[in-house]
Structures are given as C-alpha cells and as structure tokens.
Amino acid sequence: MKKDVKLQSFITIGMLSSISFLLMLFNFPIPPFPAFLEVDFSDMPALIAAITMGPVAGILVELFKNVLDWIFSGTPTGVPVGHMANFATGILFILPVTFIFNRFKTVAGLVGGLVAGTIVMAVGMSLLNYAVFLPMYTYFLGMEPVVGDSLYTMIVAGILPFNLVKGILLTAIMAILFTTMRKWIERQRQMYLTK
C-alpha cells in the first residue's frame, strides 16, 4: 500500500510538472512593467502539489517545469538565469502558502498563506534581482550593469509592484480553484499527508 502511494505521488508530480510547463508557455507581460517581466500561471500546479503532497512535491514541480522549459525553449544568455529566477519566485511563493495552510487547513488559512506568499515573493525577488539575477543577466548578455538610480527605479517601480500584481492574480485564481476542488484536495491530503 505504501509503495502504491509513493508511485502515485511520482506520477502525480510528473503530471503536475507537465501541466506547469505547458502553462509556462502562455506567459504575457503586464504594461507598464518592463517587458522582460512576464506573468504565467505555472505556479498553480506546484502550489496544488505542495498543499496536497507537501512542500518537497511543490519544489519538484517548480524544478521540473523550469528544466523542461530550459530544454525546449532555451535561454538568450546561454545560462538559465531566467529559469533560476522563475524557480526562486515559485519557491518564495508556494512555501509560505503551504506552511500557513498546513497550520490552519481552512479557506482563511489558504488566503492568509497566499497573502504571505505574495509579500515574501515580492520582497524576496526584489532583493534577489538586486543582488543576483540582474547582475547575472547583464554579465552573461555582455551589457553595461544597471546601477545607481536606474537599478533602484527598476526594483522599486518595476520588479516589486510587478510581483505584487502577479501574487494578487495567483491568489485570485488559487482561491477559485480551491473552492471548486476542495473535496479533491482534501482527499489527496488524506492519502499523501496522513501517516
């Protein structure tokens, strides 16, 4: 019985990773934010994996979808900087949601987790873009580094509000998904998360 659940969890993670990869292909920018910032809804399957099977499952879905996208879409820098940023964004979003939802197990707990995830993602990605991802992009693309007021403006007026808007969109969609899939989610949690 335990082997069956383990096998089923691997299959489910694989399916959710594939769905996540496909959703990643339907990305779009939100004016007036910088064009390189694009919204996609590929974090939804990872979040469903995390709340039904645990945080490791969600992290694996985030990892596999980015590896698949890197293989099939490539990257302009030759190094998957964008995929690493997407992976970090996903983890910063899904982990707070998972931990708070697991503590309260209610719609209010989920919404509280989504709000916390949005804030953690927005602030975390602002810091990571400042310290890691923007310098990597400019280095690998051979561009002049963005520094001083330009960098500050890009972070405060671009990346931070973009991730807040993205988090609000993901929160709205997840709230709708949760209300329609609640019984299924509870059954999955019972199967995967009960000892």
Side-chain angles (χ1 to χ4, degrees):
M1 185 68 178
K2 217 172 189 181
K3 280 185 181 176
D4 291 344
V5 171
K6 201 169 186 178
L7 177 62
Q8 191 166 341
S9 70
F10 289 143
I11 293 167
T12 304
I13 288 169
M15 285 174 30
L16 289 170
S17 299
S18 302
I19 293 166
S20 192
F21 162 64
L22 292 173
L23 288 172
M24 201 172 180
L25 299 175
F26 297 99
N27 53 28
F28 55 93
I30 303 177
F33 300 115
F36 69 89
L37 296 171
E38 295 180 321
V39 171
D40 64 65
F41 300 113
S42 63
D43 292 322
M44 292 293 92
L47 186 53
I48 288 169
I51 65 173
T52 57
M53 293 182 277
V56 173
I59 291 168
L60 287 173
V61 171
E62 289 286 351
L63 176 66
F64 294 148
K65 74 153 183 191
N66 278 291
V67 170
L68 285 169
D69 191 69
W70 181 33
I71 290 167
F72 286 101
S73 303
T75 173
T77 63
V79 175
V81 179
H83 296 95
M84 288 188 273
N86 187 284
F87 180 66
T89 303
I91 289 174
L92 287 170
F93 182 68
I94 66 171
L95 290 183
V97 180
T98 305
F99 291 130
I100 292 172
F101 179 71
N102 283 341
R103 177 132 165 79
F104 296 102
K105 300 178 182 73
T106 61
V107 176
L110 178 69
V111 172
L114 289 163
V115 169
T118 297
I119 293 166
V120 169
M121 174 181 67
V123 173
M125 285 313 294
S126 296
L127 296 171
L128 284 172
N129 271 293
Y130 176 80
V132 181
F133 296 123
L134 288 175
M136 283 176 75
Y137 263 122
T138 55
Y139 175 78
F140 287 115
L141 290 173
M143 295 165 50
E144 282 294 315
V146 182
V147 293
D149 289 343
S150 298
L151 180 59
Y152 178 78
T153 302
M154 184 180 284
I155 300 288
V156 173
I159 292 168
L160 179 65
F162 170 82
N163 280 308
L164 289 171
V165 170
K166 178 181 177 179
I168 290 166
L169 290 172
L170 293 174
T171 295
I173 291 167
M174 189 59 200
I176 293 165
L177 280 176
F178 185 77
T179 53
T180 56
M181 299 170 61
R182 187 168 187 173
K183 286 183 180 174
W184 179 84
I185 286 171
E186 285 170 359
R187 280 199 305 271
Q188 299 304 303
R189 285 176 61 81
Q190 200 167 23
M191 180 168 62
Y192 293 117
L193 298 178
T194 52
K195 303 288 182 200

